[in-house]
Amino acid sequence: TSKTGGNPLACAAAIAAINVTLEENIVEQAAEKGDYFMRQLQDIAARHTDIYTAVTGKGLLIGQHFVNDDIGYEIASGLFKRGVLISGTLNNSRVIRVEPPLIISYTEIDTVLNRLEDTIASLHSSVSASLLSLPERATSSSFASAIIDTVVA
């Protein structure tokens, strides 16, 4: 036996995956769907400049950049509660990533976008405007204070 010897089953699976990728134009589909997703997210960001600083990415690897960590955390949390799995970064919730599978449908993209809009609406209605304008160096305690001030008011 050899650690580098070929496994016929694994090789057959790899060849099948490559064939499907090429035959079904998965790469081109991912680029087109990524462009659609990015345009929609950029429209949302343009309408919510109090929350977003940028939307970046290529294909279906997309980053949403928020004004501070607290907003990014609240958006991620709201999306999780609505059944949308997104990725954070290692030590910074100011940027969250959207990394859908390459075979995501336009209907599923629209569902994610609708749930994002719902999350943003919920965020706007549950916290004061002062929270949305916290400086970038806002701390968890200032976030908590803003929520307490909102609840008490």
Side-chain angles (χ1 to χ4, degrees):
T1 65
S2 170
K3 289 183 180 181
T4 59
N7 178 324
L9 183 58
C11 289
I15 290 169
I18 291 168
N19 286 335
V20 167
T21 300
L22 295 174
E23 291 168 4
E24 296 184 12
N25 297 317
I26 300 293
V27 175
E28 292 83 0
Q29 286 185 48
E32 290 170 9
K33 291 173 185 174
D35 289 343
Y36 172 78
F37 213 155
M38 286 277 294
R39 280 192 313 273
Q40 301 303 314
L41 286 170
Q42 288 167 342
D43 287 346
I44 291 170
R47 290 193 313 272
H48 299 286
T49 57
D50 57 329
I51 292 176
Y52 282 92
T53 60
V55 175
T56 59
K58 182 170 181 140
L60 286 169
L61 178 58
I62 301 168
Q64 297 180 80
H65 303 253
F66 299 100
V67 295
N68 60 48
D69 288 330
D70 296 323
I71 297 298
Y73 175 81
E74 289 300 317
I75 295 292
S77 177
L79 287 170
F80 284 143
K81 290 175 186 172
R82 290 165 177 81
V84 177
L85 299 179
I86 48 103
S87 300
T89 55
L90 181 61
N91 58 2
N92 177 0
S93 58
R94 190 174 305 148
V95 178
I96 58 175
R97 296 185 315 263
V98 179
E99 303 170 320
L102 299 178
I103 59 169
I104 190 169
S105 69
Y106 284 99
T107 302
E108 291 167 327
I109 291 171
D110 289 340
T111 298
V112 171
L113 293 166
N114 289 334
R115 291 179 184 179
L116 174 61
E117 290 274 20
D118 186 47
T119 299
I120 292 170
S122 176
L123 181 65
H124 276 126
S125 67
S126 66
V127 296
S128 69
S130 64
L131 173 62
L132 295 177
S133 61
L134 286 175
E136 288 187 18
R137 297 181 194 265
T139 63
S140 296
S141 61
S142 63
F143 178 71
S145 297
I147 290 177
I148 290 169
D149 292 341
T150 302
V151 172
V152 172

